Amino acid sequence: MSSNVFLSSVVSVPRRFQRSTKLDADLHQSSTLDGYILQESCLQCLDVMADFIQNTKQRAFTWTGSYGSGKSSLALFLCSLLGDDEEMKAKALKILGRPTKKTNLIHKVFATGNFGNVVTLIGHNGRLNEDFAKAIGQDFSGVSDRVLINKFIKHYSRKNGVIVVIDELGKYLEGGNADNCYFLQELAEAVNRTSSNIIVLGILHQAFDAYAYNLSKAQRDEWAKVQGRYVDIPLLSGAEEVLQLLDKSIVSKRGFQQPDMTRAITAVIDELSKTRKLDKANYLSVFSGVYPLNPVTAVLLGVLSRHSFLQNTRTVFNFLTSKEPFGFNVFLDTTPLDRAEELYSLDVLWDYLRSNFEHSILAQPSEGHRWMVAVDCV
């Protein structure tokens, strides 16, 4: 077999996994849901939210998670499920699947609920009340925050409900912006009192009061009270979810016979099963699906993605799709097909981390020391 034919000719990562989500731009682009994977952590997040909506008057929420944890993509999915774009709704319903014990409440509240309108805002260094007024089509001139919010509730009470999603909410709060903070308080108090189908959802990278680090303790305590008006739901992908993502993201060409990895996979499963209960058949399938990643490499990617110097699932996709030195794409482009039994193993992952992330790792006090010890050992 010619050495000019490389592994990239039979293994690839589809384009749909190669872009990040921009909520306002992607909301009516049906292709943006292609390939979306509704992870377990996302289902739990939606289920908690649906439970509050079904059983309480709580209607103001925040999702908090690190960069790259999939918050904007989940928000796009939820807006598609709730909105009036029939094509987007159909795709979202297909992704959600038939009602099960795990998804029944999500179906009941979101798939068949009355939240027919979607309003989105993208945070920036500006006045939230003015942006909010523009987004809902209201004249803000000479109107107080409370009057604006009451107009908003009255308007959408007659229009089959609404979900307002404020992505990058933290940008409105940076530097301790008290005006924006108090507008959020007024908004939450109003929607939590109404009986209308109105939801407000803010998306954050860190807790509310962390944006008030430069304020006095008394002022920070006030910010914490504002956060208390919102039910905060953390969104973090587990290491096992990253394995599922890798399995679905890496595609081998039909007809290509992968090298037998059973021995290596079995060894990894046996080791993992010493500390946790595993569905061995499922893990066998998943590890087979991540070829040409060494099974140990695949496990470590899930663990590493949660470290502070990386960005959760976004970094996993960067690893799969970028042309960074020693990255997965480079491995596919440089490994001859007649050496297909060679796997992307730990030595290559080490070189990838050292070439692309060493400066970020060293900047983290908790990580930097351990990294230098590891470098010395190697």
Side-chain angles (χ1 to χ4, degrees):
M1 187 179 293
S2 172
S3 60
N4 291 325
V5 181
F6 297 96
L7 207 53
S8 55
S9 64
V10 293
V11 179
S12 62
V13 178
R15 284 184 176 274
R16 62 179 180 266
F17 292 108
Q18 301 183 26
R19 62 192 300 277
S20 58
T21 300
K22 195 170 186 303
L23 190 57
D24 55 346
D26 292 340
L27 188 55
H28 298 291
Q29 302 291 327
S30 62
S31 61
T32 57
L33 284 178
D34 291 347
Y36 178 65
I37 301 166
L38 196 58
Q39 297 174 288
E40 182 68 25
S41 58
C42 296
L43 282 173
Q44 290 177 355
C45 176
L46 294 178
D47 187 63
V48 169
M49 196 169 166
D51 187 46
F52 273 99
I53 293 170
Q54 174 76 7
N55 298 309
T56 75
K57 294 195 70 175
Q58 183 70 35
R59 295 295 182 270
F61 302 89
T62 52
W63 293 345
T64 303
S66 59
Y67 288 96
S69 55
K71 301 181 299 297
S72 296
S73 296
L74 179 59
L76 176 66
F77 168 82
L78 179 59
C79 289
S80 301
L81 200 59
L82 293 175
D84 58 2
D85 186 316
E86 293 301 324
E87 185 177 2
M88 295 288 282
K89 192 177 186 74
K91 285 197 171 187
L93 283 169
K94 186 176 180 180
I95 292 168
L96 182 60
R98 294 179 180 276
T100 64
K101 185 177 180 180
K102 189 179 294 185
T103 65
N104 187 53
L105 188 58
I106 298 172
H107 270 277
K108 184 176 181 180
V109 174
F110 296 130
T112 59
N114 296 315
F115 301 95
N117 298 280
V118 174
V119 174
T120 61
L121 291 86
I122 307 298
H124 66 104
N125 184 17
R127 291 177 60 83
L128 177 55
N129 50 9
E130 293 181 0
D131 292 345
F132 183 84
K134 184 178 180 181
I136 64 174
Q138 291 286 331
D139 181 11
F140 182 68
S141 57
V143 175
S144 68
D145 289 352
R146 186 164 296 181
V147 170
L148 172 65
I149 292 168
N150 287 337
K151 282 185 175 182
F152 155 72
I153 290 174
K154 186 176 181 180
H155 176 72
Y156 282 104
S157 295
R158 300 194 303 262
K159 292 194 68 175
N160 201 26
V162 64
I163 180 171
V164 178
V165 181
I166 310 174
D167 201 0
E168 302 285 352
L169 174 58
K171 291 183 179 178
Y172 281 119
L173 303 174
E174 287 172 350
N177 190 318
D179 290 339
N180 289 346
C181 183
Y182 293 134
F183 179 81
L184 287 169
Q185 177 177 328
E186 293 278 346
L187 183 60
E189 289 178 349
V191 300
N192 287 337
R193 286 195 305 266
T194 182
S195 58
S196 302
N197 292 317
I198 295 175
I199 300 172
V200 173
L201 170 64
I203 299 176
L204 295 163
H205 299 308
Q206 54 186 344
F208 235 82
D209 56 350
Y211 295 96
Y213 65 91
N214 60 337
L215 302 181
S216 68
K217 183 181 183 304
Q219 289 171 312
R220 291 199 303 273
D221 289 344
E222 287 300 313
W223 277 60
K225 291 178 184 177
V226 177
Q227 172 72 83
R229 306 295 197 281
Y230 292 79
V231 168
D232 185 56
I233 306 172
L235 187 62
L236 292 170
S237 298
E240 293 183 7
E241 291 183 344
V242 173
L243 278 176
Q244 299 286 344
L245 280 174
L246 290 169
D247 178 23
K248 290 186 167 54
S249 303
I250 302 171
V251 178
S252 294
K253 196 172 183 178
R254 184 173 295 179
F256 170 63
Q257 186 65 42
Q258 291 182 191
D260 185 9
M261 296 169 56
T262 305
R263 185 176 177 182
I265 291 172
T266 302
V268 172
I269 292 175
D270 287 345
E271 191 65 31
L272 291 174
S273 62
K274 291 178 181 179
T275 58
R276 71 191 81 169
K277 188 176 181 180
L278 298 179
D279 181 343
K280 292 188 177 182
N282 179 61
Y283 268 74
L284 181 62
S285 173
V286 169
F287 281 132
S288 298
V290 302
Y291 171 85
L293 291 178
N294 183 305
V296 180
T297 305
V299 171
L300 283 183
L301 279 171
V303 176
L304 288 168
S305 71
R306 304 190 69 173
H307 281 241
S308 54
F309 59 86
L310 296 179
Q311 290 186 20
N312 238 285
T313 53
R314 184 178 300 168
T315 295
V316 174
F317 287 134
N318 285 348
F319 165 79
L320 290 174
T321 61
S322 75
K323 296 291 185 179
E324 294 170 325
F326 300 104
F328 184 71
N329 245 324
V330 173
F331 180 82
L332 295 180
D333 288 339
T334 57
T335 303
L337 189 55
D338 57 10
R339 290 182 4 222
E341 72 282 354
E342 294 184 13
L343 301 179
Y344 188 103
S345 296
L346 295 184
D347 57 326
V348 191
L349 179 62
W350 169 266
D351 291 335
Y352 171 76
L353 291 172
R354 190 163 191 191
S355 296
N356 301 291
F357 292 98
E358 186 169 61
H359 61 291
S360 299
I361 298 171
L362 292 174
Q364 303 289 332
S366 61
E367 312 282 359
H369 175 70
R370 287 185 291 174
W371 177 261
M372 290 310 300
V373 171
V375 169
D376 288 343
C377 291
V378 171

